[in-house]
Amino acid sequence: MPNANYIFIFQISAYDPDRLLPQVRKALEKRTELLSRKRFPRMWKFTDACNGMVVGRKKSRLRTRILSGLCLALGIFLFVPGLMEPQSLLAPLIAGALAIGIGIGGLWRSRKRKHRKDPFDQPARALLAGKDAIAAEAGFSAAFSEEGMALSAPNADALYIPYSEFECAVETEDLLLFVYGDRVTLLQKADLTAGTIDAFRAFISGKVPAFHAVAA
């Protein structure tokens, strides 16, 4: 590890897995997106172009539900009298049946889908469990210099990672996630003991080009 003057130091403390789990999921999801964007730029160009339709789709779903409900009500209004006198009210009977079918079909198509299990839930839980086990032992720290990051543990040599090896960095409300090689370092903002978060954000964004923030 090269000699360096560390500007920012995190003294690692215990994690709260239940509180931090949603943020870790989002950070891992963002990291996967960044990797996918790098590998499939054309696909993401198309995806980004379609993203503007999401809000419109939500409004369209509400409009479909309203119109389908009205269509169902109108269908019942026409169908019941036609059912009572099918010979003289054959046209309202048929129109009512069609309207009921259209209304039910529209309500079915516009229903809310059940949320699928988050594929990032299990990796996030495993990551938090591992980091919390490490944090249970005192003396772990992460320090940042102009050249890279050093991870220190009690009774062990420090692990030094130059910024050139960083794949990406993701910031959430309370966390900072760093990916390098096949490893992940997860730091809590509250553990920063030297420097400020605003200064660190400005610093690390200049060292790791793939630095992104995600909503909590």
PDB file of all heavy atoms in Angstrom, residues 150-185:
ATOM      1  N   ALA A 150      -8.322   2.429   1.307  1.00  0.00           N
ATOM      2  CA  ALA A 150      -7.655   1.413   2.123  1.00  0.00           C
ATOM      3  C   ALA A 150      -8.634   0.885   3.159  1.00  0.00           C
ATOM      4  O   ALA A 150      -9.261   1.659   3.884  1.00  0.00           O
ATOM      5  CB  ALA A 150      -6.423   2.000   2.800  1.00  0.00           C
ATOM      6  N   LEU A 151      -8.787  -0.439   3.200  1.00  0.00           N
ATOM      7  CA  LEU A 151      -9.639  -1.085   4.195  1.00  0.00           C
ATOM      8  C   LEU A 151      -8.744  -1.710   5.257  1.00  0.00           C
ATOM      9  O   LEU A 151      -7.865  -2.529   4.940  1.00  0.00           O
ATOM     10  CB  LEU A 151     -10.502  -2.159   3.526  1.00  0.00           C
ATOM     11  CG  LEU A 151     -11.443  -1.674   2.424  1.00  0.00           C
ATOM     12  CD1 LEU A 151     -12.171  -2.867   1.799  1.00  0.00           C
ATOM     13  CD2 LEU A 151     -12.442  -0.661   2.966  1.00  0.00           C
ATOM     14  N   SER A 152      -8.965  -1.331   6.505  1.00  0.00           N
ATOM     15  CA  SER A 152      -8.124  -1.811   7.600  1.00  0.00           C
ATOM     16  C   SER A 152      -8.939  -2.658   8.567  1.00  0.00           C
ATOM     17  O   SER A 152     -10.105  -2.349   8.859  1.00  0.00           O
ATOM     18  CB  SER A 152      -7.511  -0.622   8.354  1.00  0.00           C
ATOM     19  OG  SER A 152      -6.710   0.159   7.479  1.00  0.00           O
ATOM     20  N   ALA A 153      -8.333  -3.738   9.024  1.00  0.00           N
ATOM     21  CA  ALA A 153      -8.963  -4.627   9.986  1.00  0.00           C
ATOM     22  C   ALA A 153      -7.979  -4.940  11.101  1.00  0.00           C
ATOM     23  O   ALA A 153      -6.767  -4.889  10.888  1.00  0.00           O
ATOM     24  CB  ALA A 153      -9.403  -5.920   9.300  1.00  0.00           C
ATOM     25  N   PRO A 154      -8.479  -5.248  12.299  1.00  0.00           N
ATOM     26  CA  PRO A 154      -7.583  -5.566  13.416  1.00  0.00           C
ATOM     27  C   PRO A 154      -6.711  -6.784  13.101  1.00  0.00           C
ATOM     28  O   PRO A 154      -7.184  -7.771  12.530  1.00  0.00           O
ATOM     29  CB  PRO A 154      -8.551  -5.871  14.570  1.00  0.00           C
ATOM     30  CG  PRO A 154      -9.830  -5.207  14.182  1.00  0.00           C
ATOM     31  CD  PRO A 154      -9.897  -5.286  12.703  1.00  0.00           C
ATOM     32  N   ASN A 155      -5.443  -6.694  13.426  1.00  0.00           N
ATOM     33  CA  ASN A 155      -4.503  -7.811  13.287  1.00  0.00           C
ATOM     34  C   ASN A 155      -4.403  -8.331  11.852  1.00  0.00           C
ATOM     35  O   ASN A 155      -4.280  -9.548  11.614  1.00  0.00           O
ATOM     36  CB  ASN A 155      -4.901  -8.969  14.213  1.00  0.00           C
ATOM     37  CG  ASN A 155      -5.003  -8.527  15.664  1.00  0.00           C
ATOM     38  OD1 ASN A 155      -4.159  -7.770  16.150  1.00  0.00           O
ATOM     39  ND2 ASN A 155      -6.045  -8.987  16.344  1.00  0.00           N
ATOM     40  N   ALA A 156      -4.509  -7.436  10.891  1.00  0.00           N
ATOM     41  CA  ALA A 156      -4.397  -7.839   9.486  1.00  0.00           C
ATOM     42  C   ALA A 156      -3.832  -6.685   8.681  1.00  0.00           C
ATOM     43  O   ALA A 156      -3.967  -5.515   9.055  1.00  0.00           O
ATOM     44  CB  ALA A 156      -5.755  -8.255   8.933  1.00  0.00           C
ATOM     45  N   ASP A 157      -3.187  -7.026   7.565  1.00  0.00           N
ATOM     46  CA  ASP A 157      -2.669  -5.989   6.672  1.00  0.00           C
ATOM     47  C   ASP A 157      -3.823  -5.283   5.981  1.00  0.00           C
ATOM     48  O   ASP A 157      -4.853  -5.893   5.654  1.00  0.00           O
ATOM     49  CB  ASP A 157      -1.746  -6.610   5.620  1.00  0.00           C
ATOM     50  CG  ASP A 157      -0.481  -7.186   6.238  1.00  0.00           C
ATOM     51  OD1 ASP A 157      -0.080  -6.699   7.317  1.00  0.00           O
ATOM     52  OD2 ASP A 157       0.091  -8.127   5.640  1.00  0.00           O
ATOM     53  N   ALA A 158      -3.658  -3.991   5.751  1.00  0.00           N
ATOM     54  CA  ALA A 158      -4.695  -3.208   5.083  1.00  0.00           C
ATOM     55  C   ALA A 158      -4.804  -3.614   3.618  1.00  0.00           C
ATOM     56  O   ALA A 158      -3.809  -3.969   2.976  1.00  0.00           O
ATOM     57  CB  ALA A 158      -4.397  -1.718   5.203  1.00  0.00           C
ATOM     58  N   LEU A 159      -6.015  -3.591   3.101  1.00  0.00           N
ATOM     59  CA  LEU A 159      -6.269  -3.875   1.694  1.00  0.00           C
ATOM     60  C   LEU A 159      -6.401  -2.548   0.965  1.00  0.00           C
ATOM     61  O   LEU A 159      -7.250  -1.723   1.320  1.00  0.00           O
ATOM     62  CB  LEU A 159      -7.554  -4.697   1.543  1.00  0.00           C
ATOM     63  CG  LEU A 159      -8.032  -4.948   0.112  1.00  0.00           C
ATOM     64  CD1 LEU A 159      -7.024  -5.791  -0.655  1.00  0.00           C
ATOM     65  CD2 LEU A 159      -9.411  -5.616   0.115  1.00  0.00           C
ATOM     66  N   TYR A 160      -5.575  -2.348  -0.052  1.00  0.00           N
ATOM     67  CA  TYR A 160      -5.567  -1.083  -0.788  1.00  0.00           C
ATOM     68  C   TYR A 160      -6.153  -1.285  -2.179  1.00  0.00           C
ATOM     69  O   TYR A 160      -5.767  -2.214  -2.896  1.00  0.00           O
ATOM     70  CB  TYR A 160      -4.155  -0.527  -0.889  1.00  0.00           C
ATOM     71  CG  TYR A 160      -4.090   0.803  -1.607  1.00  0.00           C
ATOM     72  CD1 TYR A 160      -4.452   1.983  -0.959  1.00  0.00           C
ATOM     73  CD2 TYR A 160      -3.662   0.872  -2.929  1.00  0.00           C
ATOM     74  CE1 TYR A 160      -4.407   3.195  -1.623  1.00  0.00           C
ATOM     75  CE2 TYR A 160      -3.608   2.083  -3.597  1.00  0.00           C
ATOM     76  CZ  TYR A 160      -3.975   3.242  -2.936  1.00  0.00           C
ATOM     77  OH  TYR A 160      -3.933   4.443  -3.597  1.00  0.00           O
ATOM     78  N   ILE A 161      -7.093  -0.406  -2.558  1.00  0.00           N
ATOM     79  CA  ILE A 161      -7.732  -0.488  -3.868  1.00  0.00           C
ATOM     80  C   ILE A 161      -7.604   0.864  -4.567  1.00  0.00           C
ATOM     81  O   ILE A 161      -8.195   1.861  -4.127  1.00  0.00           O
ATOM     82  CB  ILE A 161      -9.240  -0.852  -3.759  1.00  0.00           C
ATOM     83  CG1 ILE A 161      -9.415  -2.126  -2.939  1.00  0.00           C
ATOM     84  CG2 ILE A 161      -9.840  -1.022  -5.162  1.00  0.00           C
ATOM     85  CD1 ILE A 161      -9.778  -1.881  -1.507  1.00  0.00           C
ATOM     86  N   PRO A 162      -6.843   0.933  -5.651  1.00  0.00           N
ATOM     87  CA  PRO A 162      -6.737   2.198  -6.392  1.00  0.00           C
ATOM     88  C   PRO A 162      -8.054   2.495  -7.116  1.00  0.00           C
ATOM     89  O   PRO A 162      -8.820   1.575  -7.434  1.00  0.00           O
ATOM     90  CB  PRO A 162      -5.604   1.933  -7.381  1.00  0.00           C
ATOM     91  CG  PRO A 162      -5.583   0.459  -7.547  1.00  0.00           C
ATOM     92  CD  PRO A 162      -5.991  -0.123  -6.225  1.00  0.00           C
ATOM     93  N   TYR A 163      -8.306   3.753  -7.363  1.00  0.00           N
ATOM     94  CA  TYR A 163      -9.571   4.140  -7.990  1.00  0.00           C
ATOM     95  C   TYR A 163      -9.726   3.560  -9.392  1.00  0.00           C
ATOM     96  O   TYR A 163     -10.849   3.397  -9.882  1.00  0.00           O
ATOM     97  CB  TYR A 163      -9.693   5.659  -8.036  1.00  0.00           C
ATOM     98  CG  TYR A 163      -9.794   6.287  -6.660  1.00  0.00           C
ATOM     99  CD1 TYR A 163      -8.859   7.233  -6.236  1.00  0.00           C
ATOM    100  CD2 TYR A 163     -10.803   5.922  -5.785  1.00  0.00           C
ATOM    101  CE1 TYR A 163      -8.942   7.808  -4.980  1.00  0.00           C
ATOM    102  CE2 TYR A 163     -10.890   6.479  -4.516  1.00  0.00           C
ATOM    103  CZ  TYR A 163      -9.955   7.427  -4.119  1.00  0.00           C
ATOM    104  OH  TYR A 163     -10.044   7.979  -2.869  1.00  0.00           O
ATOM    105  N   SER A 164      -8.632   3.221 -10.038  1.00  0.00           N
ATOM    106  CA  SER A 164      -8.702   2.644 -11.379  1.00  0.00           C
ATOM    107  C   SER A 164      -9.400   1.287 -11.384  1.00  0.00           C
ATOM    108  O   SER A 164      -9.879   0.830 -12.427  1.00  0.00           O
ATOM    109  CB  SER A 164      -7.299   2.504 -11.966  1.00  0.00           C
ATOM    110  OG  SER A 164      -6.486   1.678 -11.138  1.00  0.00           O
ATOM    111  N   GLU A 165      -9.488   0.638 -10.220  1.00  0.00           N
ATOM    112  CA  GLU A 165     -10.133  -0.673 -10.132  1.00  0.00           C
ATOM    113  C   GLU A 165     -11.619  -0.567  -9.780  1.00  0.00           C
ATOM    114  O   GLU A 165     -12.324  -1.574  -9.781  1.00  0.00           O
ATOM    115  CB  GLU A 165      -9.410  -1.544  -9.097  1.00  0.00           C
ATOM    116  CG  GLU A 165      -7.986  -1.896  -9.480  1.00  0.00           C
ATOM    117  CD  GLU A 165      -7.337  -2.856  -8.504  1.00  0.00           C
ATOM    118  OE1 GLU A 165      -8.077  -3.405  -7.644  1.00  0.00           O
ATOM    119  OE2 GLU A 165      -6.118  -3.053  -8.580  1.00  0.00           O
ATOM    120  N   PHE A 166     -12.092   0.626  -9.488  1.00  0.00           N
ATOM    121  CA  PHE A 166     -13.494   0.785  -9.109  1.00  0.00           C
ATOM    122  C   PHE A 166     -14.382   0.683 -10.349  1.00  0.00           C
ATOM    123  O   PHE A 166     -14.150   1.344 -11.353  1.00  0.00           O
ATOM    124  CB  PHE A 166     -13.716   2.140  -8.436  1.00  0.00           C
ATOM    125  CG  PHE A 166     -13.350   2.166  -6.979  1.00  0.00           C
ATOM    126  CD1 PHE A 166     -12.049   1.897  -6.568  1.00  0.00           C
ATOM    127  CD2 PHE A 166     -14.295   2.464  -6.022  1.00  0.00           C
ATOM    128  CE1 PHE A 166     -11.706   1.916  -5.241  1.00  0.00           C
ATOM    129  CE2 PHE A 166     -13.962   2.488  -4.677  1.00  0.00           C
ATOM    130  CZ  PHE A 166     -12.661   2.208  -4.283  1.00  0.00           C
ATOM    131  N   GLU A 167     -15.397  -0.153 -10.242  1.00  0.00           N
ATOM    132  CA  GLU A 167     -16.380  -0.273 -11.318  1.00  0.00           C
ATOM    133  C   GLU A 167     -17.410   0.846 -11.223  1.00  0.00           C
ATOM    134  O   GLU A 167     -17.759   1.488 -12.209  1.00  0.00           O
ATOM    135  CB  GLU A 167     -17.090  -1.629 -11.235  1.00  0.00           C
ATOM    136  CG  GLU A 167     -18.222  -1.812 -12.225  1.00  0.00           C
ATOM    137  CD  GLU A 167     -19.073  -3.009 -11.880  1.00  0.00           C
ATOM    138  OE1 GLU A 167     -18.527  -4.131 -11.815  1.00  0.00           O
ATOM    139  OE2 GLU A 167     -20.285  -2.835 -11.663  1.00  0.00           O
ATOM    140  N   CYS A 168     -17.908   1.086 -10.018  1.00  0.00           N
ATOM    141  CA  CYS A 168     -18.908   2.140  -9.827  1.00  0.00           C
ATOM    142  C   CYS A 168     -19.051   2.432  -8.341  1.00  0.00           C
ATOM    143  O   CYS A 168     -18.553   1.704  -7.474  1.00  0.00           O
ATOM    144  CB  CYS A 168     -20.266   1.746 -10.409  1.00  0.00           C
ATOM    145  SG  CYS A 168     -21.085   0.389  -9.522  1.00  0.00           S
ATOM    146  N   ALA A 169     -19.754   3.528  -8.044  1.00  0.00           N
ATOM    147  CA  ALA A 169     -20.108   3.901  -6.682  1.00  0.00           C
ATOM    148  C   ALA A 169     -21.545   4.390  -6.697  1.00  0.00           C
ATOM    149  O   ALA A 169     -21.939   5.126  -7.596  1.00  0.00           O
ATOM    150  CB  ALA A 169     -19.175   4.987  -6.151  1.00  0.00           C
ATOM    151  N   VAL A 170     -22.330   3.941  -5.723  1.00  0.00           N
ATOM    152  CA  VAL A 170     -23.741   4.305  -5.656  1.00  0.00           C
ATOM    153  C   VAL A 170     -24.044   4.880  -4.280  1.00  0.00           C
ATOM    154  O   VAL A 170     -23.674   4.284  -3.257  1.00  0.00           O
ATOM    155  CB  VAL A 170     -24.652   3.091  -5.940  1.00  0.00           C
ATOM    156  CG1 VAL A 170     -26.126   3.509  -5.864  1.00  0.00           C
ATOM    157  CG2 VAL A 170     -24.344   2.491  -7.305  1.00  0.00           C
ATOM    158  N   GLU A 171     -24.726   6.011  -4.259  1.00  0.00           N
ATOM    159  CA  GLU A 171     -25.090   6.668  -2.998  1.00  0.00           C
ATOM    160  C   GLU A 171     -26.591   6.567  -2.772  1.00  0.00           C
ATOM    161  O   GLU A 171     -27.388   6.792  -3.681  1.00  0.00           O
ATOM    162  CB  GLU A 171     -24.683   8.140  -3.036  1.00  0.00           C
ATOM    163  CG  GLU A 171     -25.079   8.914  -1.787  1.00  0.00           C
ATOM    164  CD  GLU A 171     -24.833  10.411  -1.903  1.00  0.00           C
ATOM    165  OE1 GLU A 171     -24.428  10.859  -3.000  1.00  0.00           O
ATOM    166  OE2 GLU A 171     -25.060  11.121  -0.902  1.00  0.00           O
ATOM    167  N   THR A 172     -26.982   6.207  -1.552  1.00  0.00           N
ATOM    168  CA  THR A 172     -28.386   6.249  -1.145  1.00  0.00           C
ATOM    169  C   THR A 172     -28.522   7.263  -0.012  1.00  0.00           C
ATOM    170  O   THR A 172     -27.586   7.994   0.292  1.00  0.00           O
ATOM    171  CB  THR A 172     -28.885   4.868  -0.686  1.00  0.00           C
ATOM    172  OG1 THR A 172     -28.254   4.529   0.564  1.00  0.00           O
ATOM    173  CG2 THR A 172     -28.576   3.802  -1.714  1.00  0.00           C
ATOM    174  N   GLU A 173     -29.647   7.285   0.637  1.00  0.00           N
ATOM    175  CA  GLU A 173     -29.886   8.261   1.697  1.00  0.00           C
ATOM    176  C   GLU A 173     -28.873   8.119   2.839  1.00  0.00           C
ATOM    177  O   GLU A 173     -28.370   9.117   3.361  1.00  0.00           O
ATOM    178  CB  GLU A 173     -31.298   8.097   2.250  1.00  0.00           C
ATOM    179  CG  GLU A 173     -31.653   9.098   3.339  1.00  0.00           C
ATOM    180  CD  GLU A 173     -33.048   8.902   3.877  1.00  0.00           C
ATOM    181  OE1 GLU A 173     -33.758   7.988   3.411  1.00  0.00           O
ATOM    182  OE2 GLU A 173     -33.444   9.665   4.784  1.00  0.00           O
ATOM    183  N   ASP A 174     -28.556   6.883   3.200  1.00  0.00           N
ATOM    184  CA  ASP A 174     -27.680   6.649   4.356  1.00  0.00           C
ATOM    185  C   ASP A 174     -26.410   5.888   4.033  1.00  0.00           C
ATOM    186  O   ASP A 174     -25.560   5.706   4.915  1.00  0.00           O
ATOM    187  CB  ASP A 174     -28.442   5.861   5.445  1.00  0.00           C
ATOM    188  CG  ASP A 174     -29.678   6.595   5.926  1.00  0.00           C
ATOM    189  OD1 ASP A 174     -29.536   7.734   6.406  1.00  0.00           O
ATOM    190  OD2 ASP A 174     -30.788   6.033   5.803  1.00  0.00           O
ATOM    191  N   LEU A 175     -26.268   5.412   2.793  1.00  0.00           N
ATOM    192  CA  LEU A 175     -25.185   4.492   2.470  1.00  0.00           C
ATOM    193  C   LEU A 175     -24.377   4.920   1.252  1.00  0.00           C
ATOM    194  O   LEU A 175     -24.828   5.720   0.425  1.00  0.00           O
ATOM    195  CB  LEU A 175     -25.760   3.094   2.199  1.00  0.00           C
ATOM    196  CG  LEU A 175     -26.526   2.426   3.336  1.00  0.00           C
ATOM    197  CD1 LEU A 175     -27.243   1.189   2.816  1.00  0.00           C
ATOM    198  CD2 LEU A 175     -25.590   2.063   4.485  1.00  0.00           C
ATOM    199  N   LEU A 176     -23.191   4.338   1.160  1.00  0.00           N
ATOM    200  CA  LEU A 176     -22.332   4.459  -0.018  1.00  0.00           C
ATOM    201  C   LEU A 176     -21.869   3.057  -0.374  1.00  0.00           C
ATOM    202  O   LEU A 176     -21.310   2.345   0.462  1.00  0.00           O
ATOM    203  CB  LEU A 176     -21.130   5.355   0.273  1.00  0.00           C
ATOM    204  CG  LEU A 176     -21.460   6.827   0.538  1.00  0.00           C
ATOM    205  CD1 LEU A 176     -20.369   7.464   1.379  1.00  0.00           C
ATOM    206  CD2 LEU A 176     -21.640   7.578  -0.768  1.00  0.00           C
ATOM    207  N   LEU A 177     -22.134   2.644  -1.600  1.00  0.00           N
ATOM    208  CA  LEU A 177     -21.771   1.316  -2.047  1.00  0.00           C
ATOM    209  C   LEU A 177     -20.703   1.423  -3.129  1.00  0.00           C
ATOM    210  O   LEU A 177     -20.876   2.160  -4.107  1.00  0.00           O
ATOM    211  CB  LEU A 177     -23.004   0.576  -2.575  1.00  0.00           C
ATOM    212  CG  LEU A 177     -22.787  -0.859  -3.074  1.00  0.00           C
ATOM    213  CD1 LEU A 177     -23.976  -1.735  -2.669  1.00  0.00           C
ATOM    214  CD2 LEU A 177     -22.609  -0.909  -4.584  1.00  0.00           C
ATOM    215  N   PHE A 178     -19.597   0.693  -2.949  1.00  0.00           N
ATOM    216  CA  PHE A 178     -18.495   0.710  -3.899  1.00  0.00           C
ATOM    217  C   PHE A 178     -18.283  -0.697  -4.448  1.00  0.00           C
ATOM    218  O   PHE A 178     -18.241  -1.673  -3.689  1.00  0.00           O
ATOM    219  CB  PHE A 178     -17.209   1.194  -3.224  1.00  0.00           C
ATOM    220  CG  PHE A 178     -17.307   2.593  -2.685  1.00  0.00           C
ATOM    221  CD1 PHE A 178     -17.662   2.804  -1.354  1.00  0.00           C
ATOM    222  CD2 PHE A 178     -17.062   3.691  -3.489  1.00  0.00           C
ATOM    223  CE1 PHE A 178     -17.767   4.090  -0.845  1.00  0.00           C
ATOM    224  CE2 PHE A 178     -17.163   4.975  -2.991  1.00  0.00           C
ATOM    225  CZ  PHE A 178     -17.518   5.185  -1.663  1.00  0.00           C
ATOM    226  N   VAL A 179     -18.153  -0.795  -5.755  1.00  0.00           N
ATOM    227  CA  VAL A 179     -17.934  -2.085  -6.411  1.00  0.00           C
ATOM    228  C   VAL A 179     -16.585  -2.052  -7.116  1.00  0.00           C
ATOM    229  O   VAL A 179     -16.294  -1.136  -7.886  1.00  0.00           O
ATOM    230  CB  VAL A 179     -19.041  -2.400  -7.437  1.00  0.00           C
ATOM    231  CG1 VAL A 179     -18.803  -3.756  -8.078  1.00  0.00           C
ATOM    232  CG2 VAL A 179     -20.414  -2.357  -6.774  1.00  0.00           C
ATOM    233  N   TYR A 180     -15.768  -3.056  -6.845  1.00  0.00           N
ATOM    234  CA  TYR A 180     -14.445  -3.152  -7.477  1.00  0.00           C
ATOM    235  C   TYR A 180     -14.092  -4.629  -7.594  1.00  0.00           C
ATOM    236  O   TYR A 180     -14.191  -5.393  -6.639  1.00  0.00           O
ATOM    237  CB  TYR A 180     -13.377  -2.411  -6.659  1.00  0.00           C
ATOM    238  CG  TYR A 180     -13.425  -2.698  -5.186  1.00  0.00           C
ATOM    239  CD1 TYR A 180     -12.611  -3.687  -4.622  1.00  0.00           C
ATOM    240  CD2 TYR A 180     -14.302  -2.008  -4.351  1.00  0.00           C
ATOM    241  CE1 TYR A 180     -12.662  -3.964  -3.275  1.00  0.00           C
ATOM    242  CE2 TYR A 180     -14.359  -2.287  -2.989  1.00  0.00           C
ATOM    243  CZ  TYR A 180     -13.542  -3.269  -2.464  1.00  0.00           C
ATOM    244  OH  TYR A 180     -13.619  -3.559  -1.123  1.00  0.00           O
ATOM    245  N   GLY A 181     -13.694  -5.053  -8.789  1.00  0.00           N
ATOM    246  CA  GLY A 181     -13.438  -6.469  -9.004  1.00  0.00           C
ATOM    247  C   GLY A 181     -14.689  -7.272  -8.707  1.00  0.00           C
ATOM    248  O   GLY A 181     -15.775  -6.977  -9.192  1.00  0.00           O
ATOM    249  N   ASP A 182     -14.565  -8.295  -7.876  1.00  0.00           N
ATOM    250  CA  ASP A 182     -15.718  -9.093  -7.464  1.00  0.00           C
ATOM    251  C   ASP A 182     -16.108  -8.790  -6.022  1.00  0.00           C
ATOM    252  O   ASP A 182     -16.745  -9.605  -5.358  1.00  0.00           O
ATOM    253  CB  ASP A 182     -15.418 -10.586  -7.620  1.00  0.00           C
ATOM    254  CG  ASP A 182     -14.211 -11.034  -6.807  1.00  0.00           C
ATOM    255  OD1 ASP A 182     -13.502 -10.144  -6.267  1.00  0.00           O
ATOM    256  OD2 ASP A 182     -13.966 -12.244  -6.711  1.00  0.00           O
ATOM    257  N   ARG A 183     -15.755  -7.604  -5.547  1.00  0.00           N
ATOM    258  CA  ARG A 183     -16.021  -7.237  -4.164  1.00  0.00           C
ATOM    259  C   ARG A 183     -16.923  -6.015  -4.079  1.00  0.00           C
ATOM    260  O   ARG A 183     -17.011  -5.210  -5.008  1.00  0.00           O
ATOM    261  CB  ARG A 183     -14.714  -6.961  -3.410  1.00  0.00           C
ATOM    262  CG  ARG A 183     -13.781  -8.160  -3.335  1.00  0.00           C
ATOM    263  CD  ARG A 183     -12.613  -7.875  -2.419  1.00  0.00           C
ATOM    264  NE  ARG A 183     -11.709  -9.018  -2.312  1.00  0.00           N
ATOM    265  CZ  ARG A 183     -10.701  -9.087  -1.474  1.00  0.00           C
ATOM    266  NH1 ARG A 183     -10.435  -8.082  -0.645  1.00  0.00           N
ATOM    267  NH2 ARG A 183      -9.927 -10.160  -1.429  1.00  0.00           N
ATOM    268  N   VAL A 184     -17.565  -5.899  -2.916  1.00  0.00           N
ATOM    269  CA  VAL A 184     -18.447  -4.761  -2.636  1.00  0.00           C
ATOM    270  C   VAL A 184     -18.121  -4.231  -1.250  1.00  0.00           C
ATOM    271  O   VAL A 184     -18.012  -5.007  -0.290  1.00  0.00           O
ATOM    272  CB  VAL A 184     -19.933  -5.160  -2.694  1.00  0.00           C
ATOM    273  CG1 VAL A 184     -20.813  -3.991  -2.259  1.00  0.00           C
ATOM    274  CG2 VAL A 184     -20.307  -5.610  -4.091  1.00  0.00           C
ATOM    275  N   THR A 185     -17.941  -2.934  -1.141  1.00  0.00           N
ATOM    276  CA  THR A 185     -17.779  -2.292   0.164  1.00  0.00           C
ATOM    277  C   THR A 185     -18.983  -1.402   0.402  1.00  0.00           C
ATOM    278  O   THR A 185     -19.345  -0.581  -0.452  1.00  0.00           O
ATOM    279  CB  THR A 185     -16.488  -1.458   0.213  1.00  0.00           C
ATOM    280  OG1 THR A 185     -15.358  -2.337   0.201  1.00  0.00           O
ATOM    281  CG2 THR A 185     -16.427  -0.619   1.486  1.00  0.00           C
TER     282      THR A 185
END
